[in-house]
Amino acid sequence: GLSPNSLYYVRVRARNVNGWSSFSSVVSATTTTGPPGMIPLEDLKVISIGKRNMSLEWTSPADLGSPVTRYEVQLGNGAVLNSTQSSMTIVGLEPGVRYSVRIRSYNAHGWSNFSIPVYGTTLPDVPAAPIVTRYTADDWSPVVTTRTLTIQWRVPNENGKAVTSYEVIVDSEDLVILNSTVFTKVDVNAAGMHNFTVRARNSIGWSQWSPVVWLAADPSIPGPPMGNRTTALSRRSLSLSWDAPYFNGLEITQFEVTILGGQFNYTSMKVNSSSISLSQLEPLTLYRFFVRAKNRLGWSSMSSPFEIITPDRPAQIQAEDIARLNATATSISFEWPAPADNLKPITEYVVSITGPDDVTKHYTILDTTNFTIFELVPETAYNISIAAVNSEGAAVPSEDRQMWTEPIDLGVPSFTAVEFGLTSSAGLLAAAGVVTGMLYWRRKASKRGPRMKKMNRKGEDYSLRSFGAHDAETVASDPDAVINPLVMQRVQQVRLHSYIISGFSAHKSQGIWPWRHECYSTETYWCTCEAWN
């Protein structure tokens, strides 16, 4: 329930049967960063709006320690747009439509909540061009010399204002004005072709003319269907549509679709509409379709073949392709190659990180194939797995790739808080002559800093390498021997009570630093030595 990236102060007290203790000293801690805050409603504004566009601007939210890198703009009709700027102009809208818009922000720690939506209505426009349907009453026979031809239509979008009237041009010359969506031409001679086009009007003005439609007064078998297209496609299903042929003369009563590919082997299906939906398909498989039409006089020829390959989820990323770019004691940076998208664009990656506590955290990554994880534990192994995602779903996650954080960088160790001493059988240093005693050193607990604490936890990381006395022979029998700092070493004192103790401090992965200490001891039992390089 705490806030991300916030400083908190804590103190504690204990209680037993006799009452409460006093409070402990205060300790402080800062919570880690998190996703951005939600954009307030008052910070999201529609600044301009047209017939087919809308311009927005907003204020970037609090980033909570990790900068906002992108925004997702979601329209009420389900459309999703992306921006790296705090403004956007949305185009391709329909005139006269009320749209809702909401926005969320993204940083390295994930998505914010969506803002409360704002609303805007695009300006109205003239109607869309009518879509004309050819229709002929199926009463033809060889002995009938006259007949009627009928068309009907619909307006796909009135664009904000109601349609009030229509105009129909027949055979490129006769203009007819009417208020209905059906027109019939009567007493048509049985021979020849006739054409029709329609436009609609609202209070803004006239639409464009519809494409010209031709009807045959002298019927025959249909021509082949045209315009085969997919209207929906996924890894396991698809929907196919087509246009009925222009030159038929009689009502189309049925279509036949022939399918090749996958589990289909010249499988034919008959339908009564100009579309078909198929399921239980195989991903990444080529399917080929042929369509023909039927009227009372017979079947048309087959349409041109239409081919489509079903998509699939992205390919699996290989663990060995996940490469470490950089690492510190508390972070790891890595990259990976984009896998095959399998015919649907990759929209994001899901990066899963499992640490020493076996807790897995998941991160959603957009528009990039590299990532840096922060707030890790030094000198610790982490397992990294990545899965690509497209509109068909998430790929199989990669196998775990193990990467290590670096140890804490101790820098050049300081030993200014180290004490050296020499003891003899008398417990004091002699003023002259030869005294056999012990040379040893210890840490002063009262002056330990973070590095000395690290030494205390891992004494084996630091060693005394060699030592000797001023104006005297080297007193260590093996100057290169590694001597544990806490083990006493017998030495020989020669006249002077001053010593130089030199050696190195080694950490198993941070390297080696030379150091040198000089200690002068006359009548004191302990002396504190300063370090110099």
Side-chain angles (χ1 to χ4, degrees), residues 12 54 64 116 175 263 279 377 456 485 531-532:
V12 182
M54 178 189 302
L64 301 183
I116 297 173
L175 177 65
Q263 69 271 43
S279 60
V377 178
N456 238 10
W532 57 279

Side-chain angles (χ1 to χ4, degrees), residues 136-180:
T136 303
D138 195 4
D139 58 357
W140 176 87
S141 71
V143 298
V144 176
T145 58
T146 60
R147 60 181 308 178
T148 61
L149 296 177
T150 301
I151 61 170
Q152 58 191 19
W153 59 88
R154 64 180 179 86
V155 176
N157 196 334
E158 293 182 319
N159 288 338
K161 296 293 182 179
V163 172
T164 56
S165 60
Y166 303 93
E167 287 185 346
V168 180
I169 294 180
V170 183
D171 291 336
S172 304
E173 57 184 8
D174 298 330
L175 177 65
V176 180
I177 301 175
L178 64 165
N179 295 322
S180 68

Side-chain angles (χ1 to χ4, degrees), residues 382-410:
Y382 287 85
N383 290 323
I384 300 171
S385 177
I386 306 173
V389 181
N390 64 12
S391 59
E392 297 301 312
V396 176
S398 68
E399 296 294 329
D400 286 342
R401 179 65 183 270
Q402 189 177 82
M403 296 184 186
W404 286 75
T405 51
E406 293 294 321
I408 294 176
D409 185 358
L410 301 176

Side-chain angles (χ1 to χ4, degrees), residues 34 115 123 385 467 479:
S115 66
L123 301 178
S385 177
F467 49 89

Side-chain angles (χ1 to χ4, degrees), residues 88-275:
M88 171 181 283
T89 296
I90 305 171
V91 298
L93 304 179
E94 295 293 336
V97 176
R98 187 171 186 256
Y99 289 92
S100 66
V101 183
R102 61 179 188 167
I103 300 177
R104 62 176 180 168
S105 311
Y106 179 82
N107 68 9
H109 297 278
W111 287 103
S112 71
N113 293 323
F114 273 108
S115 66
I116 297 173
V118 296
Y119 296 87
T121 302
T122 51
L123 301 178
D125 199 3
V126 299
I131 298 175
V132 179
T133 302
R134 301 166 300 282
Y135 175 77
T136 303
D138 195 4
D139 58 357
W140 176 87
S141 71
V143 298
V144 176
T145 58
T146 60
R147 60 181 308 178
T148 61
L149 296 177
T150 301
I151 61 170
Q152 58 191 19
W153 59 88
R154 64 180 179 86
V155 176
N157 196 334
E158 293 182 319
N159 288 338
K161 296 293 182 179
V163 172
T164 56
S165 60
Y166 303 93
E167 287 185 346
V168 180
I169 294 180
V170 183
D171 291 336
S172 304
E173 57 184 8
D174 298 330
L175 177 65
V176 180
I177 301 175
L178 64 165
N179 295 322
S180 68
T181 58
V182 178
F183 173 74
T184 300
K185 182 175 176 61
V186 298
D187 297 330
V188 177
N189 188 287
M193 302 290 298
H194 300 273
N195 63 75
F196 305 84
T197 184
V198 184
R199 67 175 180 172
R201 183 180 184 180
N202 64 13
S203 60
I204 305 299
W206 286 100
S207 73
Q208 298 292 317
W209 290 97
S210 69
V212 175
V213 173
W214 290 83
L215 292 180
D218 187 11
S220 62
I221 62 172
M226 301 172 292
N228 295 348
R229 58 195 177 273
T230 53
T231 55
L233 178 63
S234 71
R235 62 194 297 265
R236 294 288 186 182
S237 65
L238 63 81
S239 295
L240 181 70
S241 297
W242 55 88
D243 296 323
Y246 285 161
F247 309 119
N248 55 77
L250 295 174
E251 182 180 3
I252 300 293
T253 58
Q254 201 170 47
F255 296 95
E256 183 182 71
V257 182
T258 300
I259 311 167
L260 291 81
Q263 69 271 43
F264 299 103
N265 185 19
Y266 285 95
T267 301
S268 295
M269 300 180 181
K270 292 181 172 62
V271 295
N272 296 324
S273 63
S274 57
S275 64

